[in-house]
């Protein structure tokens, strides 16, 4: 019975998915797939696995994936409107698009290594560049090192297939990021952690090594964590963040629930596992750590 | 001993190349240009080394001279952490563009050691041929050992070493290994004097 059940659901899921585009780019396999029943469109790097991004075809401005909503909690860590923001990793372009919609006066820059990803976001995901949304086809780390600008917020969401390239995980990189933040600037990072693995432990410790304060927000529907770190030395407690989230929500009338995300506030000390290794340019076995269980109790 | 040297040099070339990608990433990223630069510089070094090694091998080759030529990359790798950072930073500052920057960096950091590692193959071939007379078999064995060493070097580095130790430590370890191979070769009494060669007619 179970067998029949699973085989029919398999057939159904395959017939409802339509392949719109596929290509082997310089960096990855890219496919754009549309679920014709759910009316959702995804961009993937593997044949069938986690999507890198996606949209609702009938409401392309909505943030479909949970992590794309979670990262906007960074707004509650800033006591003013963000002006200059940087996104490292474009995906389907949902986050910069959303930012531009609610902060049309802000300047959004995106560093995306793969030019084909930019074309895909434009063609299939309603992503548009304009004088306030600019894409740089460059390695994120090099873009940050070369940038002369300082940012209010830096969003880190660069994935190669299902892992973060090692040179975007290290203390040296995070110091470079920190040096490009304004005094009260915020960095927010999407960390996929299917279970509490060694990579997660090391990422927590690496962020804590570089930033005075690190906060975590856990996904409810997905295995994503969002790390928020501030350049400033003042710690923000839960009440402050919830209050600020409510205020920003009221002001901006987002279609996401910022106060709900704020209620998942956790200070990073809750997740700190002192024995975990801090990642550096010299030592960062990110590919292995993803598959190793956490040593934390 | 010669066979061992050939095997380890093959392993070190590839291991060093894999680690090279990690050395370049902080300043030049992991773009396709970085990989292209890295691989072509190593191949350029090897081909120059093969050519030079062949020429040098015709002038009274000896295990002692081979030992000295292994000490050069040995010392370069042993001291690699001391100069790789400053040199990379310096090239980064020059900002020669997304293609030229990693190409120049790879050339400065990796060309010289790979030339010397390339010299090893033809040089050892000549050394072995003048002491043994089955030259085809000898050359074949040396080629096979060198490439087999490269396979082991690639696998061990990417599967294992990189997950247990830092990049700088590993490169210095390779330097130590090269010096350790060079030392016994220095005291080995293996040479062939050019006039002895019967094919000089």
């Amino acid at each position: 019975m179970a067998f029949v059940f699973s085989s029919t659901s398999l057939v159904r899921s395959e017939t409802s998915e339509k392949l719109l585009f596929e290509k082997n780019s310089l960096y990855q396999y890219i496919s754009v797939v549309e679920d014709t029943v759910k009316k959702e469109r995804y961009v993937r790097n593997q044949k069938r696995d986690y999507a890198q991004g996606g949209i609702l075809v009938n409401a392309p401005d909505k943030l479909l994936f949970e992590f794309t909503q979670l990262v906007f909690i960074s707004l509650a860590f800033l006591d003013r409107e963000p002006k200059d923001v940087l996104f490292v990793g474009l995906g389907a372009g949902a986050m910069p698009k959303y930012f531009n919609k609610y902060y049309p006066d802000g300047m959004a820059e995106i560093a995306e290594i793969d030019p084909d990803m930019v074309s895909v976001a434009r063609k299939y995901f309603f992503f548009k560049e304009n004088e306030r949304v600019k894409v740089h086809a460059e390695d994120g780390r090099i873009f940050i090192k070369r940038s002369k600008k300082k940012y209010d917020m830096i969003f880190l969401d660069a994935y190669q297939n299902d892992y973060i390239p090692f040179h975007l995980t290290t203390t040296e990189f995070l110091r470079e990021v920190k040096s490009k933040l304004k005094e009260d600037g915020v960095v927010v990072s999407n960390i996929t952690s299917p279970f509490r693995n060694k990579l997660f432990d090391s990422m927590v410790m690496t962020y804590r090594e570089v930033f005075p304060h690190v906060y975590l927000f856990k996904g409810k529907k997905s295995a994503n964590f969002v790390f928020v770190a501030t350049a400033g030395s003042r710690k923000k407690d839960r009440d402050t963040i919830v209050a600020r989230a409510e205020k920003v929500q009221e002001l901006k009338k987002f279609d996401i629930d910022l106060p709900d995300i704020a209620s998942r506030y956790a200070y990073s000390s809750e997740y700190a596992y002192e024995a975990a290794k801090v990642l550096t340019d010299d030592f960062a076995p990110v590919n292995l750590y993803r598959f190793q269980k956490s040593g934390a109790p | 001993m010669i066979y061992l040297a050939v095997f380890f040099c093959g392993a070190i070339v590839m291991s060093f190349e894999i680690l090279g990608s990690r050395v370049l990433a902080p300043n030049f990223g992991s773009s396709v240009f970085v990989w292209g630069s890295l691989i072509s510089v190593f191949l350029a070094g090897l081909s120059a080394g093969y050519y030079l090694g062949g020429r040098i091998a015709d002038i009274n080759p000896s295990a002692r001279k081979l030992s000295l030529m292994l000490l050069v990359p040995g010392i370069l790798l042993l001291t690699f952490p001391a100069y790789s950072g400053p040199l990379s930073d310096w090239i980064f500052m020059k900002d020669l563009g997304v293609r030229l920057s990693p190409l120049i960096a790879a050339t400065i950091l990796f060309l010289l050691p790979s030339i010397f590692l390339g010299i090893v193959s033809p040089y050892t071939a000549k050394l072995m041929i003048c002491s043994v007379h089955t030259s085809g078999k000898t050359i074949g064995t040396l080629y096979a050992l060198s490439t087999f060493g490269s396979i082991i070097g690639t696998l061990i580095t990417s599967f294992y070493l990189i997950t247990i130790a830092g990049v700088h430590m590993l490169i210095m370890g390779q330097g130590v290994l090269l010096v350790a191979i060079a030392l016994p070769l220095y005291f080995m009494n293996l040479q062939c004097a050019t006039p002895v060669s019967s094919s000089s007619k």
Side-chain angles (χ1 to χ4, degrees):
Chain A
M1 195 60 188
F3 170 75
V4 176
F5 218 90
S6 65
S7 68
T8 51
S9 70
L10 187 71
V11 170
R12 190 183 303 140
S13 79
E14 283 201 344
T15 48
S16 70
E17 281 202 350
K18 199 170 81 192
L19 183 70
L20 301 180
F21 172 86
E22 68 179 332
K23 179 173 183 178
N24 274 307
S25 77
L26 278 176
Y27 296 99
Q28 55 203 334
Y29 166 80
I30 302 175
S31 70
V32 178
V33 170
E34 189 163 311
D35 187 317
T36 49
V37 176
K38 288 198 209 151
K39 297 264 184 240
E40 292 175 357
R41 195 179 280 177
Y42 317 109
V43 57
R44 287 186 186 147
N45 290 144
Q46 282 153 347
K47 284 280 177 195
R48 41 182 75 70
D49 215 324
Y50 306 108
Q52 295 284 17
I55 52 163
L56 281 162
V57 180
N58 296 327
D61 287 342
K62 276 201 182 333
L63 293 170
L64 175 62
F65 286 106
E66 191 181 28
F67 73 86
T68 59
Q69 304 180 3
L70 289 175
V71 292
F72 282 100
I73 193 58
S74 51
L75 292 165
F77 285 81
L78 203 65
D79 296 328
R80 53 186 177 80
E81 289 234 328
K83 280 200 189 71
D84 297 297
V85 303
L86 171 67
F87 297 85
V88 176
L90 177 66
M95 292 187 250
K97 193 168 57 184
Y98 198 78
F99 177 82
N100 183 242
K101 182 180 165 189
Y102 286 93
Y103 296 92
D105 295 330
M107 178 73 204
E109 288 180 83
I110 301 115
E112 165 60 50
I113 197 170
D114 191 343
D116 283 314
M117 202 68 177
V118 184
S119 323
V120 162
R122 273 187 209 130
K123 190 161 178 205
Y124 296 98
F125 295 95
F126 305 89
F127 171 73
K128 281 187 206 79
E129 288 151 90
N130 57 43
E131 67 281 4
R132 303 235 159 241
V133 180
K134 291 231 175 331
V135 179
H136 307 268
E138 226 183 305
D139 184 291
R141 180 152 182 188
I142 308 310
F143 180 82
I144 287 175
K145 281 185 92 148
R146 294 231 181 268
S147 172
K148 304 252 188 306
K149 229 168 117 176
K150 298 223 175 192
Y151 296 93
D152 299 304
M153 303 201 289
I154 297 181
F155 293 75
L156 301 178
D157 183 34
Y159 276 79
Q160 171 131 39
N161 294 323
D162 44 8
Y163 62 90
I164 306 173
F166 94 93
H167 64 301
L168 304 181
T169 64
T170 63
T171 52
E172 290 90 337
F173 170 63
L174 293 179
R175 287 205 183 95
E176 288 158 14
V177 168
K178 193 178 168 194
S179 74
K180 297 297 150 74
L181 285 174
K182 292 182 191 168
E183 240 170 80
D184 58 347
V186 184
V187 57
V188 56
S189 185
N190 168 36
I191 309 281
T192 312
S193 182
F195 44 87
R196 188 167 176 180
N197 58 21
K198 251 186 163 173
L199 181 63
F200 175 84
D201 291 346
S202 283
M203 291 298 286
V204 173
M205 297 315 288
T206 309
Y207 272 79
R208 280 170 67 85
E209 173 93 7
V210 174
F211 291 97
H213 298 293
V214 182
Y215 313 81
L216 273 70
F217 296 84
K218 193 178 188 303
K220 277 180 184 162
K221 290 175 272 181
S222 60
N224 290 76
F225 273 89
V226 158
F227 288 23
V228 178
T230 50
S233 54
R234 194 165 57 87
K235 185 178 168 181
K236 305 202 167 186
D237 60 23
R238 172 193 298 269
D239 294 343
T240 312
I241 295 306
V242 171
R244 179 71 190 158
E246 278 165 358
K247 201 175 161 205
V248 180
Q249 179 83 29
E250 199 188 298
L251 205 70
K252 289 287 166 183
K253 312 257 181 302
F254 293 121
D255 59 12
I256 59 171
D257 192 349
L258 218 53
D260 173 62
I261 300 170
S263 71
R264 303 178 215 172
Y265 172 105
Y267 192 66
S268 60
S269 54
E270 285 180 39
Y271 288 98
Y273 176 52
E274 300 296 332
K277 288 227 165 73
V278 168
L279 303 175
T280 64
D281 282 348
D282 193 49
F283 183 76
V286 290
N287 302 65
L288 183 74
Y289 275 12
R290 285 182 56 236
F291 298 104
Q292 292 186 334
K293 277 227 167 89
S294 162
Chain B
M1 189 60 218
I2 297 282
Y3 285 133
L4 219 59
V6 167
F7 173 82
F8 279 113
C9 286
I12 287 169
V13 170
M14 284 311 294
S15 177
F16 189 35
E17 188 169 344
I18 298 251
L19 297 173
S21 72
R22 293 238 162 185
V23 171
L24 292 177
N27 278 300
F28 309 102
S30 57
S31 70
V32 70
F33 310 122
V34 174
W35 281 101
S37 304
L38 185 67
I39 294 170
S40 45
V41 164
F42 269 90
L43 290 176
L46 287 179
S47 58
Y50 294 152
Y51 180 76
L52 285 172
R55 296 292 292 262
I56 302 168
D58 283 339
I59 316 159
N60 300 326
S62 70
R64 177 164 290 192
K65 285 184 190 158
L66 176 64
S67 153
L68 294 176
M69 283 186 291
L70 283 176
L71 276 177
V72 177
I75 289 161
L76 282 174
L77 297 199
L78 203 52
T79 53
F80 190 82
Y83 60 79
S84 72
L87 281 175
S88 300
D89 290 344
W90 178 68
I91 299 159
F92 174 83
M93 298 295 194
K94 291 265 167 222
D95 191 6
L96 306 164
V98 286
R99 292 177 180 82
L100 208 54
S101 287
L103 186 61
I104 301 277
T107 305
I108 293 179
L109 293 174
F110 307 120
L111 188 65
L112 203 56
S114 52
I115 288 176
F116 277 91
L117 290 166
I119 286 178
V120 174
S121 292
Y123 201 87
T124 50
K126 178 71 186 257
L127 258 183
M128 297 300 278
I129 289 164
C130 43
S131 53
V132 198
H133 288 284
T134 47
S135 56
K137 186 182 157 202
T138 308
I139 292 179
T141 310
L142 289 170
Y143 268 66
L145 270 175
S146 168
T147 304
F148 185 64
S150 292
I151 298 169
I152 299 295
T154 308
L155 283 178
I156 276 199
T157 307
S158 56
F159 280 29
Y160 191 63
L161 292 179
I162 221 163
T163 68
I164 57 163
V167 171
H168 283 156
M169 177 89 86
L170 292 173
I171 292 177
M172 285 168 72
Q174 296 171 346
V176 171
L177 189 57
L178 282 170
V179 173
I181 296 166
L183 286 181
L185 282 174
Y186 188 81
F187 297 105
M188 214 168 126
N189 188 25
L190 177 65
Q191 53 187 311
C192 54
T194 314
V196 173
S197 173
S198 57
S199 59
S200 57
K201 326 179 195 179

